[in-house]
Amino acid sequence: MDTVTTAAELRAHVAAWRREGARVGFVPTMGNLHNGHFSLITLCRDAQGDRADRVVASVFVNPTQFGPNEDFARYPRTLAQDRIGLAAHGCDLLFAPTVEEMYPFGIEQTVRVEVPAVSASLEGERRPGHFAGVATVVTKLFNLVQPDLAVFGRKDYQQLLVIERLVRDLRLPIEIVGAPIVREANGLAMSSRNQYLSAEERDRASLIHFVLLGMQGEVNAGRPIAEIERLAASILEKAGFVPDYAVVRSAQTLLEPAVGQRDGLIALIAARLGKTRLIDNMLIDPNAPVSALFETNHVPMTNLLTNL
């Protein structure tokens, strides 16, 4: 695996692959990589489908998607370790630019890309400017790499919708692939921010996954959506979380479901545990057997709240 730091070097490598007729895949990351990230590289190269002959990964902690009180300064930067992991999982080229390379006129003077509607609620409401930063840097990276396909994890579900809308609206000839969430053994969705958690918090954080399972079960059981959301937030609060939201939304638009809607839905949670903000989601399977929701037998959310 080669590593480059400038746009010119990146474009030279990709141009050489193009001359060979290669199909190019792209996996953008902010580094501090884990098995969830590496699964994106594997999916990008999946021989079972029309995937990539060559894979580019980027490692760039993008300042424009962090708010003034967020963790940009302390976000883990582990480039040497990331290089080893990417090479071991079949990445062909690592692009690790500086802030100056990505923002040649400075952060304040950069051209900005905004994706309205789908970016307005949930994360967009609680992290003003976040998705404009994401859309801006992804547009820059897409322009540099010009990939045939790009892979994004479904853990950041709203981000995935924003990128899909961006690509469709700007008519970019890029296939966007959403990758399944990779979880720890206890159900916790893998995230670079998990390392902020203490051992006790890491164990307790698995409750988010089980609350999502419970939300799915209650949707399928016909409980009113507003009541499901209230119960989910109560469970998290009783366990020591500070929830930003625990909601059921349309999976395509993130709007509130129509009255009586029970398909095409997703449950989403964002909550703080200690100093760490965690997000997770679950596409609701309307055919999921109730007996499978908690691995052994269904535990109604009212009972779960009582038993905490």
Side-chain angles (χ1 to χ4, degrees):
M1 184 185 73
D2 292 323
T3 300
V4 297
T5 60
T6 68
E9 293 171 308
L10 171 63
R11 284 174 163 155
H13 275 75
V14 174
W17 295 341
R18 294 291 187 197
R19 288 192 292 270
E20 298 170 356
R23 181 171 165 82
V24 177
F26 178 45
V27 177
T29 82
M30 290 205 303
N32 194 229
L33 305 181
H34 50 69
N35 285 339
H37 293 109
F38 298 138
S39 74
L40 308 183
I41 303 293
T42 301
L43 180 59
C44 204
R45 301 208 75 142
D46 184 4
Q48 299 300 315
D50 188 17
R51 302 303 187 200
D53 303 303
R54 298 284 190 174
V55 176
V56 179
S58 62
V59 169
F60 179 64
V61 184
N62 175 39
T64 64
Q65 68 190 71
F66 288 79
N69 297 315
E70 294 183 346
D71 59 343
F72 174 71
R74 71 183 183 115
Y75 192 87
R77 291 159 171 83
T78 56
L79 185 59
Q81 181 179 328
D82 294 343
R83 288 184 62 191
I84 294 170
L86 287 169
H89 288 83
C91 182
D92 296 291
L93 181 65
L94 169 60
F95 179 48
T98 62
V99 172
E100 292 74 22
E101 185 71 14
M102 292 301 296
Y103 295 98
F105 296 101
I107 293 171
E108 297 302 323
Q109 300 299 321
T110 191
V111 172
R112 296 187 183 274
V113 179
E114 296 195 16
V115 181
V118 71
S119 67
S121 64
L122 302 177
E123 292 298 291
E125 182 178 349
R126 285 152 185 83
R127 303 179 66 188
H130 169 69
F131 284 125
V134 170
T136 297
V137 77
V138 169
T139 300
K140 287 172 174 278
L141 290 167
F142 280 171
N143 183 49
L144 290 171
V145 180
Q146 298 188 1
D148 296 289
L149 73 151
V151 181
F152 293 81
R154 290 188 178 274
K155 185 181 78 70
D156 296 293
Y157 186 82
Q158 189 172 10
Q159 174 180 277
L160 176 61
L161 291 188
V162 167
I163 299 305
E164 289 176 340
R165 178 72 65 86
L166 182 153
V167 166
R168 289 183 61 191
D169 202 357
L170 297 183
R171 296 296 193 264
L172 302 178
I174 303 170
E175 176 191 356
I176 302 300
V177 178
I181 298 171
V182 178
R183 300 185 179 278
E184 306 282 359
N186 66 359
L188 176 64
M190 288 188 178
S191 169
S192 296
R193 290 185 169 95
N194 288 352
Q195 70 183 63
Y196 298 158
L197 298 167
S198 68
E200 185 276 331
E201 288 174 335
R202 198 180 188 98
D203 188 52
R204 192 167 15 136
S206 66
L207 179 66
I208 291 176
H209 178 55
F210 287 98
V211 171
L212 288 167
L213 286 168
M215 294 172 78
Q216 174 177 242
E218 299 301 336
V219 168
N220 290 340
R223 186 185 292 272
I225 298 298
E227 187 175 345
I228 295 170
E229 294 176 346
R230 180 182 63 79
L231 285 169
S234 295
I235 291 169
L236 292 167
E237 288 171 355
K238 190 167 183 178
F241 293 82
V242 180
D244 282 344
Y245 55 81
V247 297
V248 176
R249 293 288 185 265
S250 164
Q252 292 300 314
T253 65
L254 297 184
L255 296 176
E256 294 184 9
V259 176
Q261 181 180 351
R262 285 294 183 269
D263 58 356
L265 300 180
I266 186 169
L268 307 104
I269 288 175
R272 294 188 181 276
L273 183 57
K275 297 181 179 180
T276 307
R277 188 173 187 273
L278 303 168
I279 63 172
D280 201 351
N281 67 80
M282 179 174 293
L283 289 166
I284 293 175
D285 178 1
N287 301 311
V290 169
S291 61
L293 293 178
F294 280 96
E295 297 181 359
T296 53
N297 60 307
H298 175 48
V299 180
M301 291 180 71
T302 49
N303 291 352
L304 182 58
L305 178 57
T306 300
N307 293 333
L308 280 174

